[in-house]
Amino acid sequence: MRIRFQQLFFYSAIMVLLLACSKGDDTTDNTFTGGPHVVTPNDTTAPEITILTPTLNQVFANGGVISITGKITDDFGLYRGTIRVVNNATGTILMNQAYEIHGLLLYNFSINHTVAALTASDYTITVSFEDHGYNATTKSVKVKVNP
């Protein structure tokens, strides 16, 4: 009897955690977003993205760290976005960091990617973000990697 009670308690606790951590559904485009999304229809200006590092055509060696830093601003508040690193030669997505930031007018980002290159290639770092008016902005910078 005691084992069944412990199992029932364990499974009940797991269900409570799952429900507490579940994310809302965005009813405007049926995507799973992480919370109820409130559209701001009077927001017609897209966020601004500034990539501080890396710089265009900066060279990185195998094992080196690409430090991706910058800021994203919006007049009404940010919603969601990604920072992505792609190997241009193969099209492989090497890193894809998703963000969901409700309402912040300014977000400073800082993320690192360690280079693991077997051949010389160009990588593209892309920062994409949208606000609660579904206005989107994308900025990219290309870098070079060497084995």
Side-chain angles (χ1 to χ4, degrees):
M1 181 76 164
R2 181 179 171 113
I3 292 175
R4 285 191 178 155
F5 175 75
Q6 287 174 338
Q7 288 174 333
L8 179 63
F9 178 78
F10 174 77
Y11 291 122
S12 297
I14 294 296
M15 289 304 295
V16 167
L17 287 172
L18 288 173
L19 290 172
C21 295
S22 67
K23 297 182 175 186
D25 199 1
D26 183 342
T27 57
T28 57
D29 64 359
N30 294 322
T31 58
F32 196 61
T33 62
H37 176 62
V38 178
V39 177
T40 308
N42 58 335
D43 185 352
T44 59
T45 304
E48 291 185 28
I49 299 171
T50 303
I51 299 174
L52 299 172
T53 61
T55 58
L56 180 63
N57 293 321
Q58 188 172 348
V59 179
F60 295 90
N62 188 38
V65 175
I66 301 173
S67 177
I68 306 164
T69 64
K71 68 179 181 176
I72 308 161
T73 59
D74 189 68
D75 55 347
F76 281 87
L78 298 165
Y79 174 31
R80 62 183 172 188
T82 59
I83 297 176
R84 180 178 286 182
V85 178
V86 175
N87 180 326
N88 295 351
T90 64
T92 304
I93 298 171
L94 304 171
M95 183 187 79
N96 189 41
Q97 177 64 51
Y99 295 86
E100 188 164 321
I101 305 167
H102 290 277
L104 291 179
L105 301 179
L106 166 67
Y107 182 72
N108 293 303
F109 58 87
S110 178
I111 191 167
N112 294 323
H113 175 73
T114 303
V115 176
L118 299 175
T119 60
S121 182
D122 291 338
Y123 285 6
T124 299
I125 291 95
T126 303
V127 179
S128 299
F129 233 89
E130 68 180 316
D131 61 21
H132 283 278
Y134 290 119
N135 305 297
T137 301
T138 298
K139 290 265 179 117
S140 296
V141 63
K142 290 185 180 184
V143 300
K144 301 190 178 297
V145 298
N146 294 318

